[in-house]
Every structure is written in structure tokens, then in C-alpha cells.
Amino acid sequence: MVTHQELVSCVGWTTAEELYSCSDDHQIVKWNLLTSETTQIVKLPDDIYPIDFHWFPKSLGVKKQTQAESFVLTSSDGKFHLISKLGRVEKSIEAHCGAVLAGRWNYEGTALVTVGEDGQIKIWSKTGMLRSTLAQQGTPVYSVAWGPDSEKVLYTAGKQLIIKPLQPNAKVLQWKAHDGIILKVDWNSVNDLILSAGEDCKYKVWDSYGRPLYNSQPHEHPITSVAWAPDGELFAVGSFHTLRLCDKTGVRNVLNDAVDLLEFRDRVIKASLNYAHLVVSTSLQCYVFSTKNWNTPIIFDLKEGTVSLILQAERHFLLVDGSSIYLYSYEGRFISSPKFPGMRTDILNAQTVSLSNDTIAIRDKADEKIIFLFEASTGKPLGDGKFLSHKNEILEIALDQKGLTNDRKIAFIDKNRDLCITSVKRFGKEEQIIKLGTMVHTLAWNDTCNILCGLQDTRFIVWYYPNTVYVDRDILPKTLYERDASEFSKNPHIVSFVGNQVTIRRADGSLVHISISPYPAILHEYVSSSKWEDAVRLCRFVKEQTMWACLAAMAVANRDMTTAEIAYAAIGEIDKVQYINSIKSLPSKESKMAHILLFSGNIQEAEIVLLQAGLVYQAIQININLYNWERALELAVKYKTHVDTVLAYRQKFLETFGKQETNKRYLHYAEGLQIDWEKIKAKIEMEITKEREQSSSSQSSKSMGLKP
């Protein structure tokens, strides 16, 4: 067995089971964790003392490799070396005066940054050609990291951290980060968080604007190394004879104290427990356990051992590795693998991917204003293949979990911290994106019904029926549950929303559980089964305005106006009760449908329903009632009917305000036309009678058809 004889200076993983290490004994050694074998890859010349080591990125464009093929090695003689996986030194390049203290490839593999004792930060091409000297300072630069977009570089300057964009004249961000010299930094591409460690014996977590998120207690010795896990959930901290594993809030991970119940042949990489199934990925296989039977898991082999994300829905689960996205059933059957141009799976996380029973949603990294939507069963783009586009960059997405595919909704938070909701159904007509709330920084859908919760500034809010925004926005505030969230301290995060319990992780890592009322979920269940009488009975029993408001919106959405009338009366919306009564007295079902659509603010759809039924006058009348004068006249002229009616109502409207007609179209059609209200009223009466007759004849013909 090959081992190092001197201090090990740097290490790097190729796969989940293979590690390379470099040492002052000039050896590069490969370690295999499966077989416990070690192999000497190369013995470097005696004058090369390795300092830093970084593998060339493995997922590049079309040529997706399962493992890295080459690496950069920096050394104390002022050079960096490009070395193949087999140990052949392809190139050695003079880079700095004094030692080259760090070298890092960018995420695309198109550029290399090196820093040295001479205080210089240099950018090199893939082949080792010098492109530019990004910065120069009087003190050694001990560590460097690329920003997630490869457009910025983070480096150390004594006790300061500096973020410098590659573009000249762009704003440089600099702040004092430690009380001692900073020795190591890392910047994660998934969560966009920065790690730093220094001689002050502390490690810290920062956001990309230099704002502190976590500050560790001083340790016994200087912290010499820090590194993020690729998925951004955990990071490792190295010090003298000590290695700590922490989660992204900086809290010590206590996994080692957990009771070991399930044993696996290989190392466990990821695990997820939801919807009565535990999904575990090891370096070689995936295990699917049912919570009803822990003894006989479904096991299948993985193409690549570096699973970075597991997402679960009721019917299936999603695995993300370094090269692809895979959807499997809980029986282990492969279902689909969605793809889109320029897809980078290495930076996908639970905030940028969402899964429901019928839909997969992925926020694009190249353009963060875009969400790609796929059919779960085929992996093909949803609907007419159009992606969802928003005016601002999107930070977090979440699909609702219940209901029909046609009603599937997606909620997302944009960079202004606005919470928006829209339909995922995309056929021709651009679906409206509606704002639900502001200053929201975390959200979650319920697992059993479409209830949404979020943390809004210092408030915890539950939207019991988010679809209210499509039905009657006026009563949306009445369908919410709110409570103070200041007890959760800074930067809390919603972990899950299962049943009537919401789990929130505070910034210190502790979990807080909030219970919400179970009644709205029962109401959702009754409505989805069309048990309207049970729903009304439940609201009468609970006696809460929130429940009645939800029922009112649900009833209108499902066109049950009798229930809607009861619910609106219970919350004191008298004008709406009267309007619903007027709808119920309309002669034809088309008119009723149009006015229900009108009630929900869907004016165009209401007009289409009436025109398709041949009720042209009624379509003109709704535009007159809404003062859509241009459209009312346009319809009257197009269908050559009721032009005088439109002109009469327009004249009456202007007279009320003591105004004169200035609209050229109205002046043109009013020329030589005498308005006769008696004649107009007779025509309107005739239209209503005709509609009533049409309705009764269609009903009688239907009843005739029902007779045996």
C-alpha cells in the first residue's frame, strides 16, 4: 500500500469513491475508497513542492464526462502544472515570483485564475496562455475562488476579502472579514454563499454582497482549509488535527450521533424521506424503502455516483447527478429524463427544481428569468413547448402538489422578493402572472392540498386558497392566516409543510414546528369531491371568516353559485350576494356562465361565451356596463345590430357628466341618427325574450332526448 512520507498539502475528488492527494514527498497518490487500494500516479521532480490542486470541470457542453480528466497543480517554485489523470505533466508555466499559492478553474473550464506570494491575481486560458493580470497588491494572496457566473473573482488581502469583476471599471467589493490573515475562501455556485477562514481561528459564512450570515466561535488553532459540498448544503472546516462538518448555517452536524438502523454496502451520498418512502443514493446504487417495509428495498444501479439532489412527489422521485436529471417511480422504473439547451445539473438545487405528480419545473441558470416546464411522464416540454418567462430574476420555485394537471400552479419568489403565482398550462394564450405577496423570502406548498405558506418580512403567512387571486382578488386578504415570525430570528427557512405542520429552520440551525388549523385542508377535500353541503356544514361549525372566504372563492371557481351566495352572505359581502342573485335569474346557461366569468374579472372569456352562443346584444351590453365604449361600438358595427343602443347609452353617460361627444367614431355613426328610447327598449325586450325562448327550447329538446 502506497502512503505519503511527508505532509499532505492538497487533495481532490474525481468521483464519489476516488481521491487524489499531493504531498511534500513529491508523490501524487490515488485512493480508492471501495477497494481501499492506493496507487502512485506520478513522482514529481524534487524541486516541485505542491501547494494547491484543482480538477478541470467535468460537465462541459455536449461532451459530458463522468469524471475529470486533468488537473492544475500549483507549486512553490512559482509555476503551475497542467497534469493528466494518468500523471503525465502536459505543461509547466512560469506564473508568479515566489510560490503560486492557489489555482482555480472557472465553472466552464474556459479560464484559470492563479494567485501568489507576489500579491498578483492572474487569469490564464485553458491552455496556459496569460490573458490578464486582474489585480496586484503588496501582500501575498493566500486563496481565490470564482463567482458562480464566472464573471467575478473572490480573493484574500490580509484581513480583507475582495470581490473583483473581470470587466474593467466594474465596481469592486471589499470588506474586513477577519481579525487575522485570511487563509482560505470558497464560493458555492448553488447557494451563492462565501466561506472564509483565518488565523483568528474562526470560520465565517457570507452572502455575495459581503453581509455576514454566520460567525464561528474561536477555535484552538488557525483554520487552514474550508470547502463547500457541491450542492451547497454542507461544508468542511479543517484545522490542526481537526475536521468539522457543518451545514450552511454554520451549525455542527450531529449525524454521527444518530442511531444506525439501515446498513449499506457503499458510502451514502444523499437521502430523502417523504410521501411514505425513503430514497437513499450511495456511490453506486439507489435504494427505495417503503416506510411500511424497511426490510426489502427496491435497488437499482446508478449511472454516476455523484447524486447532488433527490426530490420526491407522491407518485415518483427525481435524481440529479453531474450530467443529467432522472425521474423514477417508487418501484425503481425509469420514467423520463428532461433536457434543455445549456442545462447545467451541477448547480441545480431544491430552490431551482420542483416536482409534482405530472410536472417538472427547472429555473434556468443562463437566464434566471426563465422557468422550463416538462411533462413528468415523457420528459418533453409541457403544452406548446413555451417556457415561463418573468420580468425579474427568479430565486425560488415551487409547484403545487394536488389537483388536476390543467389546474397545476407554480409559485415563485423573484429577486425583488415578490411572491407570484401562475398556471403551468401553456397553450397559445400567455398565462397571467399574479403577485400574491411582497418581501417573501421562503415558501412551501402543502403535501396533501394546495395550501401555500411563506415567511413575509416579520410575518408567517398561510394562503389557504391561493387560487382566490383568479376568482375574487378583493377577498384574498380574508383567506389568509397570519402570525408574528420575529421569534424565528434572522434568515429562517421553511423546510417542509406536511399535513397541518410547518417546519422552519432558524439561522442557528434549530428546527421550529408550527401547527396550523386542520379545517382548511378538510374544506379542500370536500370541495375536490364536490361535497358542497358538507363544506357549508363545516364552515358553520368552525365559525371563522377565513373558512367562509375560502369557500366563497372555491364555489365561484367551481361555478356553484348557490354555495357562493351562502358563503358571501356569511362574510358580509352583500353587493356580491345581490350580483349572484341576478346571475341566478338570467334566462340562459350561457348568460349565467358569462356573468360568472365577469364576476371573476375574465371579461374577454365572458364576451367569447356570449358571442359563441349568438347572444350578441348581451355581449354588447356587458361592455356598455363596464364603460368599454370602443369595444361596444366595435361589436355593434361588426354584427350590424344595436348601433343605436350603444349610441343612446353613450349619450346618456355623457349627459350625466355634462360632456360633449369628442370620439370621432361615435360622431361618425351618430350623424343623421335619431335616438328613440322606446324603440331601443322594445328591441332589448325582444332580445331577452328571444334568449329565454332559445333556452327553454334547448332544455325541452334535451328532456325529450332523455326519454326512453
Side-chain angles (χ1 to χ4, degrees), residues 44-57:
L44 298 166
D46 286 351
D47 59 341
I48 296 180
Y49 287 88
I51 293 177
D52 194 25
F53 169 102
H54 193 221
W55 283 102
F56 188 77

Side-chain angles (χ1 to χ4, degrees), residues 512-570:
V512 182
H513 302 286
I514 298 176
S515 290
I516 63 162
S517 167
Y519 297 121
I522 300 168
L523 186 65
H524 273 273
E525 205 177 306
Y526 282 152
V527 170
S528 63
S529 313
S530 299
K531 295 179 178 173
W532 295 104
E533 286 179 12
D534 290 342
V536 171
R537 209 174 290 122
L538 177 68
C539 290
R540 283 182 177 143
F541 168 73
V542 179
K543 295 185 184 127
E544 269 183 21
Q545 192 183 43
T546 315
M547 292 285 285
W548 282 116
C550 289
L551 182 59
M554 289 169 174
V556 175
N558 288 278
R559 319 272 187 256
D560 189 309
M561 300 320 278
T562 308
T563 308
E565 189 183 355
I566 297 166
Y568 275 114

